[in-house]
Amino acid sequence: MKVPSEYPALGYNFSVAAVDSLSSASASVISSDSKDAEFQSISGIKAERKTEEVEALGYNNMTYQLPKETKYDDLILERGIVRAPSEFINWCNAFINMDASESSNSNSLSTKIILVFLWDRDRNKPLMTWTFYNAFPKGIEYSGIIANENSYAIEKITIVYSHFTTKHDPPKD
């Protein structure tokens, strides 16, 4: 039985990519298989329009809400620490430490575009893509390291950005 595309995504996966520009985002970077893109959780995808309350002149029982600026939450990426070298973490560390020598890329201190992909069950087509513009790392936090616990070491990366866009790309029935 074929599930219509308007049903909620079941059994989805997601991945993350950091690119310098959308035109430089090649198919190899935008892949569901990139080990640097695997995070266990992403939070903070939120936009909220601030408003200003204005009382209507001549009316005691009416107020209007006027739109003001849009506020965006910080993007929080969490995953277990990986053994393989990570270009994403190298960029984060270089940016936070303001150390261009830490990365071979001269653009290590520049902002990036962060792409978050929600993949279909087969991981071959994105169902939804969030694009975060002018993004840079605000913080990196590592979980506590306790010798007598058998748990994963977690890295938590906080990313700030100017705004984001959302693209719905449901599979064609």
Side-chain angles (χ1 to χ4, degrees):
M1 180 176 129
K2 194 172 211 178
V3 178
S5 62
E6 65 269 6
Y7 279 76
L10 297 174
Y12 61 85
N13 296 292
F14 60 89
S15 64
V16 178
V19 296
D20 293 321
S21 68
L22 290 178
S23 62
S24 72
S26 67
S28 62
V29 170
I30 302 172
S31 166
S32 65
D33 297 328
S34 171
K35 296 301 177 202
D36 206 21
E38 294 179 350
F39 288 88
Q40 69 186 32
S41 71
I42 299 174
S43 61
I45 303 176
K46 180 181 177 183
E48 181 180 4
R49 174 66 76 170
K50 298 294 183 181
T51 60
E52 179 180 357
E53 189 173 285
V54 177
E55 294 180 12
L57 296 176
Y59 296 99
N60 292 333
N61 60 348
M62 287 178 54
T63 60
Y64 293 99
Q65 296 287 325
L66 300 179
K68 292 177 69 176
E69 73 276 359
T70 301
K71 181 181 182 322
Y72 298 94
D73 282 4
D74 293 346
L75 189 64
I76 309 293
L77 309 172
E78 290 188 54
R79 69 177 177 185
I81 295 174
V82 294
R83 292 182 184 186
S86 169
E87 288 183 37
F88 186 78
I89 295 300
N90 289 344
W91 169 69
C92 290
N93 282 322
F95 198 98
I96 288 174
N97 296 318
M98 298 302 277
D99 182 10
S101 66
E102 193 169 314
S103 173
S104 60
N105 183 359
S106 62
N107 292 327
S108 62
L109 298 181
S110 64
T111 62
K112 296 208 180 266
I113 296 171
I114 305 291
L115 301 163
V116 175
F117 301 96
L118 181 67
W119 296 93
D120 66 359
R121 189 177 295 189
D122 300 324
R123 291 183 75 115
N124 61 7
K125 181 169 176 41
L127 298 173
M128 195 169 195
T129 304
W130 291 271
T131 306
F132 300 87
Y133 296 91
N134 304 311
F136 62 90
K138 177 180 169 181
I140 298 177
E141 178 182 343
Y142 296 96
S143 63
I145 301 170
I146 303 169
N148 63 355
E149 285 189 12
N150 190 16
S151 62
Y152 292 104
I154 304 293
E155 60 188 357
K156 178 177 166 182
I157 302 149
T158 303
I159 304 284
V160 294
Y161 54 92
S162 62
H163 65 288
F164 72 85
T165 59
T166 306
K167 178 184 174 195
H168 296 268
D169 198 11
K172 308 296 183 257
D173 289 337

